[in-house]
Amino acid sequence: MSELKKQIPSLYGLLSVNAIALAITHYSLAPTYLTVAVPGLLVLSCLFRIARWRRMEPSQMSELEATRKLNRTIIVTTLFTVPFSLWGMSLYEFGGPNEHGHVTVFAAITVIGCVLCLTHLPVAAYLMVGLMMVLFLPFYIAQANLVSIAIAINVALVIAVIVRVVRGSFESFAHMVEAQSEADRLHQMTRQQALTDSLTNLPNRRQFFEKLQDLCANERSGYCALALFDLDRFKPINDTFGHQYGDIVLIEIGRRLNVFARTDIIVGRLGGDEFGLIVSSEKAISNLAAFCRSICDVLQQPIHVGGFDLTTSCTCGAAETKNAFKEGNKLFERADYALYYGKDHFRNDVTVFSNQHERELLAEQAIETGLRSAKLADELSLAYQPIADIATGRITAVEALARWRSPALGDVPPGRFISAAERCGIMHALTMMLLGKLLQDSAAIPSEIGVSFNLSAHDLSSHDTVMAIVAAVRASDLDPRRLTFELTETALIRDFELAQRAIKALKDSGAQIALDDFGTGYSSFSYLHQMSFDKIKIDRSFVSKIDTNHGRRIIASIADLCHGLGLVSIVEGIETAEQLAAVKRCGCLFGQGYYIGRPISLYDLQNVIGPQPINAKTGTYHAR
């Protein structure tokens, strides 16, 4: 249709010009109605058709509308052929040889020009040629003179050749259109595959964010909400039943979410077990929190797979704005923060981003900015908390604890800047900075005292980080047997196989491995059989209940377990002399806590390390 829009107006223009020229040459010879009225009506009809085609928008037509338009064009073209032909023949009887020749030229040019203009609509071209030939050839042959007959035959042969050329041109054009259509189809299919999640058939992360960006780029965009849904208990399903069952669960979750999709609600899978939802109309929901909670209720319904009813809970983080054009680019950041906050504080519930979250987010962004400072290494330091032999009171090791004093932010708690480093992808750099400080400080700590260093889940799951740690230890002057790497259960469950390989690499370097916060996770005991630990650090939550028979029995049982497995047990969180005495009675060998010693600088640590045991009254070490 687009090509015809260019050609059809040219056809009517050619007919109009030819008609006007023929009328002028016969004006003084033929009656006025044949030189003014009839050609005037024909030209006006052509101009009307030109205007109709100029206003037409092929890109906005459906396939059915385009087909109807083509059929009408064939009929109208055929109808125009008859009056133009009859009018031309009616002028032949007026004038002499010159005027007769003009009529002949009019007929020939009209046929040839129209055929060329109808190259992309051959059916109309063939009908028009057929009618013109049926009308003109018998007419010229009937003149009974050799010149007229020769002209008729010559014109017929030329038109036949042109028709053949037009046919070949149209076939080439049709093949080109077909190839272009196939290319467009393949491109559309490829793009659709690139924008669709292959497992759930939902929009993938790329398409999801494209739609969000398109929405936020529209100046007329008003209300917009973004909700992120994360499955809480999906990994145990994968680990227990296998990825095939996990995929079935994800497919069903996608199907349930897609039920909520409509023109103003877009659903997508962002990766793994995280899904997203964009709401572009305030009328779509009256209460964002209630709407998201209803989705969570649907998602946590049991999924029947292979004879099992599998259940996953769901945590949602959501954010909304009244002006998506101005604030839409912040929506994902806010919803992601709400999800992160919800998983820490309100798991299996909905957290909607609030003003309080906005203040916290700005603070987190300030921390992230500070972490990217070129002077970060100078601002970081380590504090050392003593670990003592409970029987003798002597310091046997120290745990290195990260400290950050920022000129702009002041003292930033480790939990905040470490989690921020994990979020913004600089945990590797932070770990290597702190490890470098420990390796340097260890030269000032007596060789009989061990040093402990904490590794995060990000550290353990990064092969590059583990290899860099091993290389740094080997390149240092520290005897690796003095070094203990402390790991939490969270770091282990993130990727068990990666954790196993990381622990093997660390132990191969000569270092020891400690399981930190033991007893707080549901699978800690299973790790003792699967991982090569050297030490177990009993969580402080047990010490807080050591004044009860139940609490004492738990600590004594863990101490016996460690003794039977050949593991060193260290009790954390000892804050009073009574707790220290109770821990000793439970058979524990080593302890750590504020009563034994608070985290202190390397300089202060050097002042308290000595041969004297702990002072039972003050809970402090004598200086050398």
Side-chain angles (χ1 to χ4, degrees):
M1 290 300 295
S2 297
E3 292 298 320
L4 287 176
K5 183 179 179 180
K6 301 174 186 176
Q7 296 174 352
I8 296 296
S10 299
L11 183 152
Y12 289 119
L14 174 66
L15 291 175
S16 299
V17 171
N18 282 351
I20 292 171
L22 189 61
I24 290 173
T25 59
H26 287 76
Y27 181 73
S28 60
L29 303 173
T32 303
Y33 77 91
L34 285 177
T35 56
V36 177
V38 174
L41 289 173
L42 293 175
V43 169
L44 286 175
S45 299
C46 288
L47 293 176
F48 173 75
R49 296 297 301 170
I50 290 173
R52 288 287 299 272
W53 275 89
R54 289 293 185 190
R55 290 196 301 270
M56 185 184 67
E57 293 294 340
S59 60
Q60 298 179 2
M61 284 186 175
S62 66
E63 185 176 346
L64 180 61
E65 290 173 335
T67 302
R68 290 174 178 172
K69 182 68 175 178
L70 290 175
N71 292 333
R72 284 198 300 268
T73 300
I74 294 171
I75 295 172
V76 171
T77 303
T78 304
L79 293 177
F80 264 72
T81 301
V82 175
F84 269 93
S85 300
L86 294 177
W87 175 66
M89 289 186 295
S90 69
L91 293 176
Y92 192 84
E93 63 179 288
F94 302 100
N98 290 335
E99 287 74 22
H100 294 166
H102 193 179
V103 172
T104 302
V105 170
F106 167 79
I109 291 177
T110 298
V111 173
I112 294 171
C114 290
V115 168
L116 293 176
C117 289
L118 292 171
T119 301
H120 296 133
L121 193 60
V123 175
Y126 299 155
L127 284 174
M128 191 205 71
V129 168
L131 284 171
M132 292 284 282
M133 293 299 97
V134 167
L135 294 172
F136 272 104
L137 289 180
F139 175 77
Y140 276 98
I141 293 173
Q143 302 306 313
N145 64 74
L146 186 61
V147 173
S148 297
I149 295 172
I151 289 174
I153 295 173
N154 192 24
V155 169
L157 291 174
V158 170
I159 291 175
V161 172
I162 292 176
V163 168
R164 183 174 181 181
V165 172
V166 167
R167 179 181 178 182
S169 176
F170 175 75
E171 289 177 351
S172 298
F173 174 75
H175 288 312
M176 182 187 71
V177 171
E178 184 179 351
Q180 183 63 44
S181 176
E182 179 65 11
D184 290 342
R185 185 188 69 81
L186 292 175
H187 174 74
Q188 185 63 28
M189 184 175 68
T190 302
R191 175 172 171 78
Q192 187 64 24
Q193 290 175 345
L195 296 177
T196 303
D197 177 61
S198 59
L199 184 64
T200 63
N201 287 324
L202 294 175
N204 62 11
R205 188 181 188 90
R206 178 181 174 185
Q207 183 179 177
F208 186 83
F209 282 102
E210 281 186 4
K211 290 182 179 296
L212 180 62
Q213 289 171 0
D214 291 343
L215 179 66
C216 298
N218 189 340
E219 294 184 7
R220 293 177 294 178
S221 295
Y223 177 84
C224 183
L226 179 65
L228 304 177
F229 298 87
D230 189 90
L231 305 182
D232 293 327
R233 293 196 296 270
F234 178 71
K235 191 176 186 306
I237 292 176
N238 257 347
D239 293 343
T240 304
F241 298 97
H243 290 283
Q244 183 178 2
Y245 277 48
D247 288 348
I248 295 174
V249 170
L250 291 175
I251 292 171
E252 176 60 19
I253 292 295
R255 187 196 65 79
R256 293 181 183 183
L257 268 175
N258 203 38
V259 172
F260 295 89
R262 46 200 241 195
T263 56
D264 48 12
I265 297 179
I266 298 169
V267 174
R269 183 188 177 200
L270 306 186
D273 58 354
E274 185 176 348
F275 296 81
L277 181 147
I278 302 171
V279 181
S280 57
S281 170
E282 193 169 7
K283 294 181 180 179
I285 54 173
S286 58
N287 184 303
L288 180 59
F291 177 68
C292 292
R293 196 166 284 112
S294 67
I295 294 178
C296 288
D297 290 341
V298 170
L299 299 186
Q300 68 182 8
Q301 296 300 314
I303 300 172
H304 189 73
V305 184
F308 298 95
D309 284 331
L310 306 181
T311 303
T312 63
S313 61
C314 179
T315 299
C316 173
E320 59 185 327
T321 178
K322 300 293 183 181
N323 192 333
F325 178 65
K326 290 184 177 180
E327 298 183 345
N329 60 332
K330 298 180 181 178
L331 266 181
F332 179 78
E333 184 180 75
R334 291 171 174 174
D336 190 53
Y337 182 87
L339 177 63
Y340 172 81
Y341 187 89
K343 289 184 78 68
D344 275 353
H345 299 87
F346 304 107
R347 192 173 286 266
N348 193 25
D349 203 351
V350 176
T351 300
V352 178
F353 191 84
S354 65
N355 292 333
Q356 176 62 29
H357 295 141
E358 180 74 30
R359 290 189 290 271
E360 293 174 357
L361 179 58
L362 291 174
E364 295 296 330
Q365 290 173 340
I367 291 174
E368 291 180 11
T369 301
L371 286 172
R372 293 188 174 93
S373 168
K375 298 182 179 180
L376 176 63
D378 297 331
E379 298 167 7
L380 289 171
S381 63
L382 291 173
Y384 295 93
Q385 185 171 26
I387 299 172
D389 184 322
I390 293 177
T392 65
R394 297 181 186 279
I395 297 176
T396 59
V398 290
E399 178 182 356
L401 302 171
R403 296 291 183 261
W404 179 29
R405 174 166 290 181
S406 165
L409 304 172
D411 290 328
V412 183
R416 293 189 66 185
F417 71 76
I418 290 175
S419 61
E422 291 176 341
R423 285 197 307 274
C424 63
I426 62 172
M427 193 61 212
H428 173 88
L430 182 64
T431 296
M432 298 313 297
M433 286 181 194
L434 294 171
L435 179 62
K437 290 181 180 295
L438 172 65
L439 296 176
Q440 183 178 356
D441 289 353
S442 63
I445 300 174
S447 59
E448 68 272 13
I449 294 179
V451 290
S452 292
F453 186 79
N454 292 280
L455 294 180
S456 71
H458 280 255
D459 296 327
L460 216 58
S461 61
S462 169
H463 176 75
D464 291 341
T465 300
V466 173
M467 291 300 98
I469 290 171
V470 171
V473 172
R474 288 176 175 170
S476 71
D477 295 328
L478 175 67
D479 183 348
R481 291 174 296 180
R482 292 177 59 197
L483 179 60
T484 298
F485 289 108
E486 297 191 11
L487 316 175
T488 63
E489 183 181 339
T490 303
L492 302 179
I493 64 174
R494 182 167 183 170
D495 192 315
F496 188 76
E497 293 181 0
L498 273 178
Q500 280 187 313
R501 289 196 291 268
I503 289 175
K504 183 179 184 305
L506 295 172
K507 285 184 69 68
D508 287 346
S509 71
Q512 300 185 67
I513 306 295
L515 178 59
D516 199 8
D517 301 332
F518 180 79
T520 58
Y522 69 92
S523 57
S524 292
F525 285 98
S526 67
Y527 292 139
L528 298 182
H529 297 283
Q530 300 178 65
M531 300 286 193
S532 301
F533 295 113
D534 301 287
K535 302 175 182 179
I536 298 296
K537 300 190 74 173
I538 303 172
D539 188 70
R540 65 181 64 247
S541 60
F542 296 106
V543 176
S544 65
K545 301 175 183 177
I546 202 169
D547 57 339
T548 66
N549 290 331
H550 182 67
R552 287 191 293 272
R553 282 196 295 268
I554 290 177
I555 291 181
S557 298
I558 296 175
D560 289 340
L561 174 66
C562 291
H563 180 73
L565 294 174
L567 304 176
V568 174
S569 60
I570 303 170
V571 182
E572 297 180 293
I574 299 175
E575 298 185 355
T576 66
E578 291 75 17
Q579 289 177 341
L580 178 64
V583 165
K584 185 176 182 180
R585 288 194 296 271
C586 289
C588 298
L589 302 179
F590 299 92
Q592 180 180 1
Y594 280 3
Y595 179 74
I596 293 174
R598 291 175 176 271
I600 53 179
S601 67
L602 176 64
Y603 175 80
D604 292 333
L605 177 66
Q606 289 174 314
N607 290 330
V608 301
I609 292 176
Q612 289 82 8
I614 190 171
N615 187 312
K617 293 183 178 180
T618 64
T620 59
Y621 289 90
H622 295 291
R624 280 201 246 194

